[in-house]
Amino acid sequence: MDPEAFRSKMSGLAFGNVMAAAARDYQKEILAQEKAQTSANANQEVDLDELMDKEVEKREALKRQGHGEYREISEGDFLGEVTGCEKVICHFYHKEFYRCKIMDKHLKSLAPRHVDAKFIKLDAENAPFFVAKLGIKTLPCVILFSERLKLDFCCRKGIAGDRLVGFQDLGGKDDFAIKTLENFLIKKGIIDEQKNDEDDDDVGDNSRGRTVRSSVNYGSDSD
């Protein structure tokens, strides 16, 4: 065989071997990447399941502490309820005040949707110490307790700063939408905004109820 032809043939064979080896290496790399991706997807699925399980556990733990429902408490329970969790919404009410009943209706609807906060109510007539301590003069009065405000209440001033007095921040009318109250509470940082949550069409009754005033010093926000 011609020496030049021989060298050319050998060179071609070497090139072919190199390309074959490169092809095998490339295939191995693709398989390794696919395996790594499959493993990553599996780990991600496990992580998501763990996160969901932890979220469920957290919600169940909060419900055992009285979250997720709108409950009535006594004056003796007040400090334990307020200091026992991070966020508390407490409605001081009078059973005969019309606007207190409207506030009750909306807070009862919001409680199951915002489990991170505790929703409670306290009959102002049966809680004279805390009515005086918190400087409550007008009902309904909704006090918002966060960690900072509880520190102020328990250790220093004894007056919670964030509150909703009557309907003055809700448009001043009885037929305000529940979303108006929810947005107020979100703005104050006591509850979190719910994504993809449909607006609630629930509104307060349009009919006017006669206010029965109590003999105590605070009054109703109703006309």
Side-chain angles (χ1 to χ4, degrees), residues 113 179 193-199:
R113 293 162 53 180
K179 193 66 178 177
E193 186 172 3
Q194 300 290 314
K195 294 182 179 180
N196 300 323
D197 191 22
E198 295 181 0
D199 290 348

Side-chain angles (χ1 to χ4, degrees), residues 197-208:
D197 191 22
E198 295 181 0
D199 290 348
D200 197 321
D201 294 331
D202 186 22
V203 297
D205 295 334
N206 290 321
S207 59
R208 294 288 295 176

Side-chain angles (χ1 to χ4, degrees), residues 19-20 37 58 72 96 99 107 129 135 144 161 181 195 201 216 220:
M19 292 301 296
Q37 184 64 41
K58 177 183 176 182
E72 179 151 13
E96 294 179 338
R99 285 194 164 183
L107 291 175
F129 176 81
L144 312 178
L181 174 59
K195 294 182 179 180
D201 294 331
V216 293
S220 168

Side-chain angles (χ1 to χ4, degrees), residues 1-219:
M1 178 179 291
D2 181 64
E4 188 66 30
F6 179 78
R7 284 196 298 271
S8 178
K9 184 176 181 180
M10 293 303 295
S11 177
L13 289 173
F15 180 75
N17 290 336
V18 169
M19 292 301 296
R24 288 194 297 269
D25 291 343
Y26 178 74
Q27 188 175 22
K28 289 179 181 179
E29 180 68 22
I30 293 298
L31 290 174
Q33 290 180 3
E34 290 178 350
K35 184 177 180 180
Q37 184 64 41
T38 301
S39 177
N41 289 339
N43 289 336
Q44 185 178 24
E45 290 177 1
V46 171
D47 290 343
L48 289 174
D49 289 340
E50 289 179 356
L51 288 174
M52 292 178 65
D53 290 342
K54 288 179 180 179
E55 183 63 25
V56 171
E57 290 176 4
K58 177 183 176 182
R59 291 176 67 88
E60 291 302 319
L62 288 172
K63 287 181 179 181
R64 288 193 293 270
Q65 296 174 16
H67 293 238
E69 59 181 335
Y70 182 50
R71 298 179 296 112
E72 179 151 13
I73 64 169
S74 67
E75 185 173 49
D77 296 330
F78 180 76
L79 278 180
E81 293 281 358
V82 167
T83 59
C85 61
E86 184 177 349
K87 297 178 180 180
V88 182
I89 298 168
C90 183
H91 175 207
F92 284 82
Y93 78 99
H94 190 289
K95 61 185 177 181
E96 294 179 338
F97 287 175
Y98 175 67
R99 285 194 164 183
C100 291
K101 295 176 181 179
I102 296 175
M103 185 64 71
D104 269 344
K105 177 182 178 181
H106 290 318
L107 291 175
K108 184 177 180 180
S109 296
L110 288 176
R113 293 162 53 180
H114 297 279
V115 180
D116 286 346
K118 180 185 289 187
F119 288 72
I120 55 178
K121 65 177 182 177
L122 182 58
D123 188 335
E125 278 196 313
N126 296 327
F129 176 81
F130 289 111
V131 166
K133 186 77 171 175
L134 293 167
I136 295 173
K137 303 295 184 183
T138 301
L139 301 177
C141 182
V142 179
I143 307 291
L144 312 178
F145 293 94
S146 64
E147 288 298 329
R148 176 180 60 82
L149 294 178
K150 283 188 285 186
L151 179 63
D152 288 343
F153 176 74
C154 296
C155 303
R156 299 202 299 269
K157 295 182 286 187
I159 302 295
D162 282 342
R163 64 180 62 200
L164 175 61
V165 179
F167 293 174
Q168 62 187 22
D169 292 311
L170 304 173
K173 297 181 179 179
D174 293 352
D175 60 350
F176 67 89
I178 188 174
K179 193 66 178 177
T180 303
L181 174 59
E182 187 175 35
N183 286 338
F184 173 86
L185 297 175
I186 291 171
K187 183 179 179 181
K188 292 296 184 180
I190 201 72
I191 62 174
D192 296 325
E193 186 172 3
Q194 300 290 314
K195 294 182 179 180
N196 300 323
D197 191 22
E198 295 181 0
D199 290 348
D200 197 321
D201 294 331
D202 186 22
V203 297
D205 295 334
N206 290 321
S207 59
R208 294 288 295 176
R210 187 176 68 177
T211 297
V212 180
R213 292 189 176 273
S214 170
S215 59
V216 293
N217 292 331
Y218 49 78

